[in-house]
Amino acid sequence: MAHTRSRICVALDTQDAMQAAELARRLAGAVDLVKVGMELFYATGEHGYRKVAEAGIPVFLDLKLHDIPNTVAQGLRSLMRLDPAPAIVNVHATGGPAMMHAAAEAVEGRTKLIAVTLLTSLGEEDAAAIGLDAALGTDDHVANLAELARACGLDGVVCSPRDLEMVRRVCGPDFLTVVPGIRPAGSDTADQKRIATPRAAQEAGADILVIGRPITQAEDPVAAAAEIARSLTG
Ligand code: C5P
């Protein structure tokens, strides 16, 4: 399927605010978003977030909230007071419909709200161990949770490259797909298993590619990001 260029989101996975901010500054113009996750936010809080945001790149604040509806909604209200507000925030779909409805109400469309369906680190055995119906595959659980997230008013999901086609089928073309597990051809896969090249993920319909180490650990992160961007358009 022809698709507009996927946006590139670099994951700033570090506990050091200055290091993250410096990398964000260097990558401004070379990537479309930066991702601040638990590691950086828990270590540096609002200070680290602001330092990164000063680079002027929209921030995906990847904190994966999962609690009772009121607590998640109030947590999101606190996050919406960050200045500048994050461009994307997320919750776990397994928090259930009441929680996702409350989350959607809390962000009031001011930021994109997406859901984590099943963690991609969960295999079939793990899914059974936490009591998910073993008669269904993890694919079916992902499909159910993505559909539920959409029905609750969320804007999209985080999903693996492998899930893209199914999420598109179930949730339609306008549902935002944010896709980690991206590895440029020939690069180190590290601990990622279900991987795709940037180009393959784009062709499968990914809106946003989340890419960490292939950019952040590169000798020249700006050149690595530019090379990935070229692979998407060339
Ligand atoms: O370095 P790498 O490209 O593997 O980084 C991917 C980023 O995406 C990390 O921040 C990781 O936590 C995140 N992520 C992931 N798989 C998921 C959800 C998030 O790799 N299912």
Side-chain angles (χ1 to χ4, degrees), residues 1-200:
M1 177 180 84
H3 194 264
T4 48
R5 174 167 100 62
S6 301
R7 285 180 282 161
I8 299 171
C9 176
V10 63
L12 300 174
D13 292 321
T14 166
Q15 295 167 20
D16 184 329
M18 296 322 290
Q19 193 187 326
E22 166 64 16
L23 196 52
R25 258 195 309 278
R26 288 177 62 194
L27 287 167
V31 302
D32 304 284
L33 295 113
V34 291
K35 183 168 89 72
V36 171
M38 292 184 195
E39 182 178 0
L40 182 59
F41 198 74
Y42 290 163
T44 67
E46 187 168 356
H47 167 75
Y49 173 88
R50 272 170 173 275
K51 285 275 153 222
V52 167
E54 275 169 15
I57 312 173
V59 181
F60 167 20
L61 187 53
D62 178 25
L63 298 181
K64 300 185 178 71
L65 277 65
H66 193 178
D67 209 314
I68 60 171
N70 182 61
T71 303
V72 166
Q74 294 299 76
L76 286 170
R77 289 194 174 95
S78 295
L79 295 178
M80 296 310 295
R81 282 195 284 274
L82 289 166
D83 184 21
I88 307 176
V89 292
N90 58 0
V91 300
H92 274 280
T94 47
M99 184 266 252
M100 285 195 278
H101 277 298
E105 207 180 303
V107 304
E108 293 172 337
R110 284 176 294 163
T111 176
K112 295 287 181 201
L113 174 65
I114 63 174
V116 176
T117 55
L118 267 197
L119 291 170
T120 48
S121 52
L122 294 178
E124 304 284 343
E125 274 178 28
D126 302 296
I130 60 169
L132 295 177
D133 184 352
L136 299 178
T138 50
D139 290 4
D140 299 305
H141 292 295
V142 170
N144 289 342
L145 289 165
E147 202 168 4
L148 180 63
R150 195 173 74 90
C152 291
L154 272 68
D155 301 296
V157 285
V158 180
C159 69
S160 78
R162 200 187 73 168
D163 298 329
L164 270 167
E165 204 187 310
M166 181 262 297
V167 169
R168 280 271 165 257
R169 198 169 52 239
V170 172
C171 297
D174 299 328
F175 202 57
L176 192 66
T177 52
V178 177
V179 184
I182 302 297
R183 289 291 177 270
S187 71
D188 185 2
T189 59
D191 51 2
Q192 293 284 12
K193 297 207 177 75
R194 300 207 288 256
I195 56 172
T197 64
R199 182 72 183 214

